[in-house]
């Protein structure tokens, strides 16, 4: 909460549009160093590329990596506390107490505009959640190594850092959600191409250079569209947030939006095996492989997939995304034309 409130108060009204850019770039860089960076530095295969003698251990361990970033966190926080100055605020803009804060949050959640906003975002995020949560797992199931996935993801980091800087000038307007809606169709196209890439991965025994090139290009398209949607969404959050309760408001909106993405992904991970249909051939005791692959193999049979749940869920998701673009996007765009008062609450409400 304090980060969002500091962001609202440190930036001037003219530059408040850069709040979404700061957030996007910061999260992208943080995700790289916290996840992809660690996987790469912990991988012996990756580290041996820069060694004269190959070793069976990575460059760092979990313990040393966490200790290093713990020190960086303390130093950075100390620097911000000592050297970064916030704008002076009136007494009426001071933080609310514990009870008052949660009362304000409940009032915000009950606002019609907020309910429509979160509902629209939940549907579009849910439509892309099967692809976002399952693609990496399916590629590894097809035989792609974890190191290769990490390398492909790492190559996208410069784009994900630079793209928000480019997009900001288009989202820094009175209608940032126009950019959000404009990113839906390119993201659907990218999702379709990724699905075809996964299908192709199961039909080959080796991954040649063209596979990696195609995968990188497709991922660039998908990532660019997703980043465009995220930046414009954060831009809109910054615009409708009440400065007097900026930290509470921004935290609440972003928490609801994050749940709109993580909850459908969890459901997708649970649902994919239940949608998949497979047959155990060559066994006299087991006929289906559903949740029983080891028994099939132990009895001398082999599992063959009849219907892959990944493709079923992704197809359903893409249909939902198209319907969202066709129908719900109109409702979504109208939210940015509502009076700012419809997004705010007062102590008398």
């Amino acid at each position: 909460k304090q980060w969002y409130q500091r962001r609202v108060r440190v930036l001037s009204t003219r530059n408040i549009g850069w709040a979404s850019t700061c957030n996007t770039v910061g999260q992208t860089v943080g995700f790289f160093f916290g996840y992809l960076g660690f996987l790469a530095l912990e991988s012996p295969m990756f580290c041996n590329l820069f060694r004269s003698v190959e070793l069976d251990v990575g460059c760092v361990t979990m313990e040393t990596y966490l200790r290093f970033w713990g020190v960086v966190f303390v130093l950075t926080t100390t620097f911000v506390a000592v050297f970064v100055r916030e704008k002076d605020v009136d007494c009426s803009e001071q933080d609310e107490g514990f009870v008052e804060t949660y009362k304000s949050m409940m009032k915000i959640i009950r606002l019609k505009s907020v309910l429509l906003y979160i509902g629209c975002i939940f549907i579009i995020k849910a439509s892309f959640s099967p692809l976002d949560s399952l693609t990496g797992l399916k590629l590894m199931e097809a035989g792609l190594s974890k190191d290769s996935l990490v390398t492909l993801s790492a190559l996208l980091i410069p784009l994900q850092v630079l793209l928000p800087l480019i997009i900001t000038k288009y989202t820094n307007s009175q209608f940032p959600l126009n950019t959000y809606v404009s990113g839906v169709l390119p993201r659907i196209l990218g999702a379709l191409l990724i699905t075809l890439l996964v299908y192709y991965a199961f039909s080959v025994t080796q991954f040649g250079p063209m596979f990696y090139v195609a995968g990188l290009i497709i991922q660039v398209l998908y990532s660019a569209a997703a980043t465009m949607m995220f930046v414009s969404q954060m831009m809109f959050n910054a615009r409708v947030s009440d400065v007097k309760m900026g930290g509470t408001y921004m935290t609440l909106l972003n928490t609801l939006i994050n749940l709109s993405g993580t909850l459908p992904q969890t459901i997708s991970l649970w649902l994919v095996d239940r949608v998949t249909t497979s047959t155990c051939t060559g066994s006299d005791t087991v006929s289906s492989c559903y949740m029983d692959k080891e028994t099939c193999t132990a009895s001398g049979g082999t599992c063959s997939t009849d219907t892959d749940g990944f493709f079923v869920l992704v197809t359903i998701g893409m249909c939902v995304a198209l319907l969202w673009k066709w129908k719900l996007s109109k409702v979504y765009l109208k939210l940015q034309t509502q009076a700012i008062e419809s997004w705010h609450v007062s102590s008398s409400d």
Side-chain angles (χ1 to χ4, degrees):
K1 170 185 172 181
Q2 290 179 350
W3 157 242
Y4 290 121
Q5 190 143 2
R6 181 178 289 269
R7 186 175 64 185
V8 171
R9 289 179 176 175
V10 168
L11 295 176
S12 64
T13 304
R14 183 183 62 182
N15 294 324
I16 193 66
W18 288 96
S20 56
T21 303
C22 296
N23 186 83
T24 306
V25 173
Q27 287 197 32
T28 301
V29 175
F31 174 78
F32 172 75
F33 284 109
Y35 175 63
L36 298 176
F38 171 71
L39 289 178
L41 293 175
E42 194 240 358
S43 168
M45 180 179 178
F46 179 83
C47 293
N48 285 336
L49 297 175
F50 308 95
R51 291 169 172 163
S52 57
V53 178
E54 291 191 0
L55 301 174
D56 58 354
V57 294
C59 303
V60 299
T61 64
M62 174 71 80
E63 180 183 356
T64 57
Y65 201 71
L66 290 177
R67 183 181 294 113
F68 171 78
W69 285 111
V71 173
V72 172
F73 174 80
V74 172
L75 293 177
T76 304
T77 304
T78 303
F79 176 85
V80 172
V82 174
F83 295 104
V84 177
R85 293 288 181 264
E86 299 181 43
K87 294 180 295 184
D88 294 332
V89 295
D90 298 332
C91 295
S92 60
E93 295 183 349
Q94 295 299 325
D95 291 340
E96 298 175 320
F98 180 83
V99 176
E100 289 75 13
T101 296
Y102 277 92
K103 285 183 178 179
S104 298
M105 289 172 61
M106 296 308 300
K107 292 177 183 178
I108 294 170
I109 293 175
R110 291 197 297 266
L111 292 174
K112 181 180 178 180
S113 52
V114 172
L115 290 174
L116 284 174
Y117 180 56
I118 299 301
C120 289
I121 288 181
F122 179 85
I123 293 173
I124 192 64
K125 279 184 170 288
S127 65
F128 290 109
S129 64
L131 188 85
D132 293 337
S133 59
L134 298 172
T135 298
L137 297 175
K138 296 302 294 184
L139 287 175
M140 285 192 289
E141 182 183 331
L144 193 66
S145 67
K146 181 180 70 174
D147 292 324
S148 298
L149 280 175
V150 170
T151 302
L152 286 174
S153 299
L155 292 174
L156 294 173
I157 295 299
L159 172 71
Q160 293 173 339
V161 171
L162 293 174
L163 194 60
L165 302 176
I166 300 172
I167 293 175
T168 297
K169 67 178 182 179
Y170 299 104
T171 59
N172 195 7
S173 65
Q174 292 183 338
F175 307 106
L177 296 185
N178 291 352
T179 306
Y180 188 97
V181 174
S182 298
V184 173
L185 286 181
R187 191 172 180 181
I188 293 175
L189 175 60
L192 175 61
L193 294 175
I194 290 175
T195 305
L196 294 175
L197 187 72
V198 173
Y199 181 82
Y200 174 77
F202 279 93
S203 64
V204 297
T205 56
Q206 289 185 334
F207 301 103
M210 290 306 299
F211 176 86
Y212 293 102
V213 172
L216 183 62
I217 294 174
I218 293 171
Q219 192 61 38
V220 165
L221 171 63
Y222 184 81
S223 181
T227 303
M228 182 166 65
M229 295 170 68
F230 180 77
V231 172
S232 57
Q233 166 193 291
M234 295 300 298
M235 168 65 187
F236 184 72
N237 290 352
R239 285 198 173 276
V240 300
S241 293
D242 190 348
V243 176
K244 295 181 180 179
M245 52 188 304
T248 301
Y249 208 124
M250 290 287 287
T251 302
L252 178 62
L253 285 182
N254 283 281
T255 299
L256 294 174
I257 290 171
N258 288 336
L259 286 175
S260 300
T262 55
L263 182 60
Q265 288 186 12
T266 302
I267 295 174
S268 298
L269 291 170
W270 174 82
L271 198 59
V272 63
D273 284 337
R274 289 157 177 79
V275 177
T276 299
T277 57
S278 55
T279 304
C280 181
T281 57
S283 174
D284 297 330
T285 58
V286 181
S287 59
S288 174
C289 290
Y290 172 68
M291 306 294 286
D292 203 16
K293 295 181 181 179
E294 294 182 358
T295 304
C296 174
T297 305
S299 62
T302 56
C303 287
S304 58
T305 301
D306 301 319
T307 304
D308 195 318
F310 169 79
F311 298 106
V312 174
L313 294 179
V314 169
T315 301
I316 294 174
M318 293 307 96
C319 292
V320 172
L322 286 172
L323 287 173
W324 189 96
K325 179 67 171 67
W326 182 35
K327 291 292 187 180
L328 278 180
S329 62
K330 299 175 183 177
V331 177
Y332 188 65
L333 289 174
K334 286 182 180 179
L335 292 173
Q336 63 189 345
T337 62
Q338 294 183 359
I340 194 65
E341 290 76 17
S342 65
W343 296 88
H344 295 174
V345 296
S346 62
S347 56
S348 59
D349 291 338

